[in-house]
Amino acid sequence: MNNKETIVAALHSRFAGKKVLIWGLGREGKASFDFLAANFRQLELETLAVSDLNPEPCAECLEKAEAYGIAVSSYSAAAYPPDLSQFDLVLKSPGISCKNYVYEAKATAENSFSAPCLQIAPQTEITCQVDLFLQIYGQQTVAVTGTKGKSTTTSLLYHLLDCAEQKSALLGNIGIAAFSRIFDLGKDVAALELSCHQLEFTTHTAKVALLTNLYPEHLDHYHNLEEYYQSKINLIRQPAGRQWVILPAYEDNLLQRAVPVLQQEQYVFYLCRNQNDLANLQKYYDVLPRQELKKKAYIFTFSAEKNELTFSGISLENCSENAEQSNVAAFEENSWNKCTLQFSAQLQILHMKLDSVLAVMATFAYYCEQKIAAGRSLVLPELWAEFQAEQKEHIISCLREFTGLEHRLQYVGTYGGHPVYNDSICTIPLAAIKALTALPQCRTIILGGLDRGLDYTELYDFLKQHEYNVIGLPTTGHTLTAQLAVGASAAELKRYYQAKDMAEAVNLAYKITAPGKGILLSPAAASYNTYKNFEERGRCFVAEIKRQAPVSGAETK
């Protein structure tokens, strides 16, 4: 699908004769407005309105509407939010929370899925830009979601998919609105990062869906934690024909919610680290009423020590608990199904290495889909052997040269004799624990940010059990360091500090960190109490590190 007329015609039924509201005018909302304003007449909208608490983006849209020669209504400031029941269709932007509204389930046919509506506007369809994009391009999209790791995984996936046979486009939550390529994507495959907010009202899905993990997060946006988890699961809830699903077999929280919604149309690739992962996975399938789903669940194993990814072509049906040892041992003896990978320094951190392997598996899944669409038989061992023969060199090159993303366990350099890492993307306690575990040379952590009601017990216990210097920023950092200080010994109290801002935190870090030991920013909290976003927080940290670096400690990279 590569021309404007075809795409507008495909979306015509979603908009024709309808009163439409764009709710929220961030990056995605503005892209939605540009699309609808430019194609207002072809889509035959009855009316178009925009709404944002901030009047400025609304005013910008009204100015553009005048240039297009169309009338647009605006609801901002005191008029925000509008009465949603007056609209037929609402395009909700990711930053808009419906926590203050009561959801109402729509009546649907058996085994079908529909996004919820709001009780105050039961006849109004709530959707989003991503749902429209997937309606058009879902068949050529590899989508990634999860609580952590999705940006790095999607970025790497973009490079893996971009080879001589095809081109790829990096879109979605990573910062590039999907509609920016709505008319010129052509035959390129979309590597699409999706947040929970983008999936909350999405009913269409991607040809390949990769989920990295599920951890407690975004309690400020949802009515409850389970609602957050289920928004992620929407990516695999209603496949349109054959779908390929990539899941880690070591993420119990994810498996508990993903496995029960799987359907016959889905081929599922699981990544196992060891026999325990395989045995654990079996338990989820053993309780399913449809045991035939085991036939389309396939096992990949990865040895982090040897950097070997192995695929046998054996389904879960043939890996029963009694036979799993012999089956796995048998296919691991063969060389044709092994792929020895090489990783950049950034990907040597274990959880990032595992996420990158998931990206390789997703690339293989899309390769399979392309071959089957061209008439090949679905014989996975043969396709795996061909995939290695054709793309192994490209895959290894991508993994070896990948430099990672800013603010994600980013090595900033060595300042004052201290290796410094920026992990500002870390917004949950578990991610901070993983960062400290992955970087044993780091003995000082700067943490804290917006209090969203997350449970910090696990991080508290971890910090109590290890001798880290902890510097707390407002608000959660102050709370956590105060809790750590209760009942602490005199020696322990010398490790817990509170700073009023990043400048003071970095100053403390340079003073208390032992020579040669590392300094890590891994906040375990959102940034919005002090900064515009986590990027601004990370840049502030790096700037202070450089500004305050001891003169005697020359910078090294």
Side-chain angles (χ1 to χ4, degrees), residues 427 429 450-451 454-461 476 480 483 523-525:
T427 57
L450 180 67
D451 188 349
L454 296 176
D455 184 354
Y456 283 80
T457 304
E458 190 174 0
L459 180 56
Y460 169 88
D461 292 341
T476 58
L480 185 58
Q483 291 172 341

Side-chain angles (χ1 to χ4, degrees), residues 160 309 341 356-365 384 387 395 399:
L160 291 168
L309 175 62
L341 304 174
S356 66
V357 172
L358 291 172
V360 173
M361 291 163 59
T363 305
F364 172 57
W384 176 246
F387 175 70
I395 289 167
L399 295 174

Side-chain angles (χ1 to χ4, degrees), residues 410-438:
Q410 171 200 2
Y411 173 59
V412 177
T414 297
Y415 293 85
H418 305 289
V420 177
Y421 292 85
N422 168 22
D423 192 33
S424 184
I425 188 67
C426 168
T427 57
I428 62 172
L430 182 58
I433 294 172
K434 285 192 171 186
L436 287 169
T437 304

Side-chain angles (χ1 to χ4, degrees), residues 4 118 214 287 356 376 394 397 406 423 456 476 487 505:
K4 179 177 178 179
L118 303 182
L214 287 179
V287 298
S356 66
R376 282 291 306 277
H394 169 69
S397 176
E406 191 178 16
D423 192 33
Y456 283 80
T476 58

Side-chain angles (χ1 to χ4, degrees), residues 323-543:
E324 69 183 33
Q325 184 67 41
S326 59
N327 277 334
V328 173
F331 75 67
E332 287 187 347
E333 288 176 0
N334 298 321
S335 59
W336 63 267
N337 48 29
K338 290 181 183 296
C339 184
T340 302
L341 304 174
Q342 299 175 30
F343 298 91
S344 67
Q346 182 70 14
L347 295 178
Q348 292 294 335
I349 297 169
L350 181 58
H351 67 270
M352 299 182 76
K353 184 181 287 190
L354 291 169
D355 285 347
S356 66
V357 172
L358 291 172
V360 173
M361 291 163 59
T363 305
F364 172 57
Y366 193 74
Y367 175 89
C368 291
E369 180 61 32
Q370 296 301 97
K371 292 296 183 180
I372 294 165
R376 282 291 306 277
S377 299
L378 207 168
V379 183
L380 289 175
E382 293 180 6
L383 291 172
W384 176 246
E386 293 176 18
F387 175 70
Q388 285 201 70
E390 295 176 20
Q391 297 198 21
K392 183 176 180 179
E393 186 175 333
H394 169 69
I395 289 167
I396 290 176
S397 176
C398 288
L399 295 174
R400 191 173 52 219
E401 296 173 11
F402 187 71
T403 56
L405 300 179
E406 191 178 16
H407 313 297
R408 295 159 175 85
L409 286 176
Q410 171 200 2
Y411 173 59
V412 177
T414 297
Y415 293 85
H418 305 289
V420 177
Y421 292 85
N422 168 22
D423 192 33
S424 184
I425 188 67
C426 168
T427 57
I428 62 172
L430 182 58
I433 294 172
K434 285 192 171 186
L436 287 169
T437 304
L439 300 169
Q441 72 273 39
C442 288
R443 306 312 300 173
T444 298
I445 181 172
I446 299 172
L447 50 74
L450 180 67
D451 188 349
R452 296 174 296 158
L454 296 176
D455 184 354
Y456 283 80
T457 304
E458 190 174 0
L459 180 56
Y460 169 88
D461 292 341
F462 180 85
L463 294 172
K464 269 294 189 182
Q465 294 164 11
H466 298 82
E467 294 185 0
Y468 291 109
N469 298 315
V470 183
I471 301 172
L473 292 168
T475 302
T476 58
H478 284 187
T479 302
L480 185 58
T481 50
Q483 291 172 341
L484 289 167
V486 174
S489 66
E492 288 174 331
L493 286 173
K494 293 180 180 179
R495 300 202 304 268
Y496 306 141
Y497 299 84
Q498 293 183 354
K500 67 178 183 294
D501 55 27
M502 191 67 75
E504 185 177 1
V506 169
N507 181 268
L508 281 167
Y510 275 130
K511 287 179 178 178
I512 66 176
T513 306
K517 298 301 181 182
I519 300 169
L520 168 69
L521 170 69
S522 194
S527 59
Y528 305 122
N529 62 326
T530 307
Y531 300 96
K532 180 180 178 181
N533 48 41
F534 73 85
E535 292 98 338
E536 184 179 77
R537 176 172 62 188
R539 287 192 290 269
C540 178
F541 169 69
V542 172

Side-chain angles (χ1 to χ4, degrees), residues 104-109 114-118 122-126:
E104 190 172 276
K106 291 182 181 178
T108 59
S114 178
C117 59
L118 303 182
Q123 303 305 314
T124 301
E125 179 187 358
I126 312 292

